Amino acid sequence: MTRLVHSSGGFVRSLQMSSARIFAFVEGRLDRTFFDRIFHRELQATSIKHQVIAMKEIPDQAGGKTALLAVFRDFRRRGVLRTTAFGKSMVSVFLVDKDSDDYCRKQLRSPHLIYSKTYDLEAHLYSCADLHRALADASGTTLEQAKALLPDPQTWLANAVYQWRDWISLCLISQDNSLNCGCTFERVSQVNPDPLHPPDVAKIDEFKKILSQKMGVSEKDFEVLYESTRRSVDRSLRLGEPLRYFKGKWLSHLIQKFLETTVRPADANFNNIGDKLESTLVAQVAYASRCACCTSYSEKLTPLVALL
């Protein structure tokens, strides 16, 4: 249990005393900006006030997904996901990165808990926002120059996932079995010496052997599991969901490497371009009248807003 759970009565009381009526709890800074933009859009025609709270804003919290789910479980146990106090009805919603929870069958069920459809929020932004516009804004180039640098973003994304499909499979197996053998979503691919090209089969076999030993299964049985896992990854590609199991944070590394191999316009700034893209991608959220970044979340938020 986190220290918050022991003091959450006072924390809930502080929410009840605020002027906001809907509270969105998120993992970190990027999530806070993203969902604040969505809530401003969703509530602009109402008098309902909202508050987006990142985990590190809560006293004694280190932040992140583990803390967020601990707070969710505590609110659910206390029956305060939807409540009324001081004549004010209020609703809480928790917005969390899916990660590999669907593959590992760890997802919790509640209308007050909304998972990303992609691995994480970064992946969602890359799949929904205008990557050409974001690249132009982040590098100081024109839109046409950005299109020349990255002609077809969705094809580029799908190809990146395909090249890393073996690494993704190793990471999923490791995650599902609570193992840390070096193949983890916290690291970029260790089996793709060149991150933009096919993997080294010998490196894949090294990780397979380590994992099979840690799991206590034969190499033959592990291979069956491995092929089944890779079929799941391949299925996401066929369904047009390449970032379902692909960590969006990896894309900063990949696009940085990719742009280093291209002929760039004079005076363009590609220093730390991968990191800068996140800011320019999130700046597009809820800006246009029809925002693809908003849709999947708005559909789930609308019923909660209707409760107020």
Side-chain angles (χ1 to χ4, degrees):
M1 286 288 185
T2 63
R3 291 175 64 183
L4 171 66
V5 173
H6 299 294
S7 60
S8 59
F11 177 67
V12 171
R13 180 59 59 91
S14 71
L15 300 182
Q16 293 171 339
M17 294 175 66
S18 78
S19 60
R21 295 177 61 197
I22 185 164
F23 300 90
F25 294 89
V26 300
E27 296 182 40
R29 289 174 297 181
L30 185 69
D31 313 74
R32 181 171 55 198
T33 300
F34 177 87
F35 288 109
D36 183 57
R37 294 176 71 95
I38 288 184
F39 274 99
H40 271 290
R41 174 187 174 130
E42 292 300 301
L43 301 175
Q44 62 184 344
T46 75
S47 60
I48 298 171
K49 293 184 178 180
H50 75 280
Q51 186 176 350
V52 181
I53 305 168
M55 285 296 99
K56 284 190 176 182
E57 293 183 80
I58 301 175
D60 302 320
Q61 285 298 305
K65 182 175 181 177
T66 300
L68 186 143
L69 292 178
V71 177
F72 165 75
R73 290 188 178 97
D74 183 57
F75 273 39
R76 182 171 62 179
R77 179 177 63 83
R78 292 172 177 270
V80 294
L81 290 171
R82 179 190 179 190
T83 188
T84 300
F86 305 111
K88 178 188 78 171
S89 58
M90 55 183 278
V91 169
S92 293
V93 57
F94 294 77
L95 300 136
V96 62
D97 286 340
K98 174 183 71 65
D99 300 333
S100 58
D101 287 3
D102 53 344
Y103 178 83
C104 299
R105 300 167 298 282
K106 293 181 179 179
Q107 283 186 315
L108 303 174
R109 294 182 179 277
S110 169
H112 294 267
L113 180 63
I114 301 177
Y115 286 92
S116 60
K117 294 180 68 175
T118 52
Y119 183 92
D120 53 15
L121 179 59
E122 289 83 353
H124 178 70
L125 289 169
Y126 271 91
S127 63
C128 297
D130 184 341
L131 188 53
H132 282 143
R133 182 73 270 170
L135 178 57
D137 293 344
S139 62
T141 58
T142 67
L143 183 59
E144 291 307 311
Q145 287 172 327
K147 289 180 178 179
L149 288 166
L150 194 69
D152 186 343
Q154 294 308 311
T155 298
W156 183 85
L157 288 169
N159 183 64
V161 175
Y162 183 81
Q163 301 296 355
W164 282 34
R165 59 206 275 263
D166 291 282
W167 180 247
I168 300 168
S169 301
L170 291 167
C171 290
L172 285 172
I173 294 171
S174 179
Q175 186 79 22
D176 195 28
N177 290 274
S178 301
L179 299 172
N180 186 354
C181 304
C183 43
T184 165
F185 284 101
E186 298 307 311
R187 305 176 74 189
V188 297
S189 177
Q190 303 298 298
V191 302
N192 292 76
D194 184 329
L196 303 171
H197 290 86
D200 183 327
V201 175
K203 291 183 180 294
I204 296 172
D205 288 341
E206 287 177 18
F207 280 110
K208 285 182 177 179
K209 186 174 182 178
I210 294 170
L211 279 169
S212 63
Q213 291 174 345
K214 289 286 187 179
M215 293 172 62
V217 300
S218 69
E219 292 185 18
K220 182 179 179 180
D221 286 342
F222 181 83
E223 192 63 33
V224 172
L225 171 62
Y226 183 79
E227 289 301 321
S228 173
T229 303
R230 198 167 68 170
R231 283 196 296 273
S232 295
V233 177
D234 289 342
R235 188 179 306 116
S236 72
L237 282 163
R238 289 197 306 273
L239 294 174
E241 302 173 353
L243 301 181
R244 180 173 181 177
Y245 303 120
F246 191 91
K247 187 171 183 173
K249 293 181 180 67
W250 288 342
L251 290 167
S252 294
H253 170 73
L254 276 169
I255 203 160
Q256 185 79 50
K257 292 294 184 182
F258 173 76
L259 291 172
E260 288 173 359
T261 68
T262 63
V263 178
R264 291 167 285 180
D267 200 36
N269 183 1
F270 287 86
N271 294 329
N272 299 316
I273 189 67
D275 294 332
K276 289 191 291 186
L277 272 173
E278 291 181 4
S279 296
T280 53
L281 285 168
V282 80
Q284 298 177 15
V285 175
Y287 180 73
S289 57
R290 299 181 66 178
C291 174
C293 297
C294 297
T295 304
S296 61
Y297 289 102
S298 296
E299 291 172 348
K300 294 180 180 180
L301 288 172
T302 299
L304 294 176
V305 174
L307 297 174
L308 298 172

